[in-house]
Amino acid sequence: MSDGPDQPRRGADGDVVVSLDLYKTVIVSSTLVAVTFVVLGFLFLDAATNVVQRFLLLGLVVGVALPLALYLGYRRLRPTASVGERVLVGGALFYASLFGVPGVVGTAVGLPAVLPPVPFAVQSALPRLPVPSGVLQVVFALLGIVLIGVGAGTYVLGTRFRTEGMGNPKDDRD
């Protein structure tokens, strides 16, 4: 298989030379993932020192991860769904998870709560766990450090990409 002009190839210095469109995608995606992981890592480090924030943070993480997992499962079952349907299902899943059913809108008109918000349910269930607080502090601190490391690694790997026209400062002669 021969390398075409749009095929990624390894540069002399180890960088990966890609097309401009792929470069933009890689840079934006890797930076977004890196920043998200680093911010989450620092939130988990901060939560390791405060029990109330720890439960709230874990509840929010579960409250976002659960509808995201359900949405990805829905997309796998219905890959040909229209954009409107995907937005409607994704919005409903996130609304139900973060605000409960009927949520803030239903509560405002006087409807009784059927399903509590996931962050509230997690936050109220965690204090009853038979796990000592010190163990949770260590787990949250280690998780925070791992998340920061993954974010930094993602950023470093994303910087290894360049396009054909980009020069490399290491190769410039002074």
Side-chain angles (χ1 to χ4, degrees), residues 61-75 90 93-94 97:
V61 168
V62 171
V64 170
L66 180 65
L68 181 61
L70 291 173
Y71 180 76
L72 292 175
Y74 155 78
R75 289 285 296 144
L93 285 172
F94 276 95
S97 177

Side-chain angles (χ1 to χ4, degrees), residues 26-105:
V26 167
I27 291 299
V28 168
S29 301
S30 66
T31 304
L32 179 65
V33 168
V35 168
T36 302
F37 273 82
V38 169
V39 168
L40 275 175
F42 278 109
L43 284 173
F44 272 94
L45 280 176
D46 181 52
T49 61
N50 188 337
V51 174
V52 175
Q53 288 179 348
R54 183 177 322 127
F55 295 142
L56 178 62
L57 175 66
L58 191 57
L60 288 173
V61 168
V62 171
V64 170
L66 180 65
L68 181 61
L70 291 173
Y71 180 76
L72 292 175
Y74 155 78
R75 289 285 296 144
R76 187 136 173 105
L77 291 174
R78 297 227 352 124
T80 59
S82 68
V83 173
E85 181 182 343
R86 290 188 308 221
V87 169
L88 183 66
V89 168
L93 285 172
F94 276 95
Y95 177 84
S97 177
L98 294 176
F99 301 111
V101 176
V104 292
V105 174

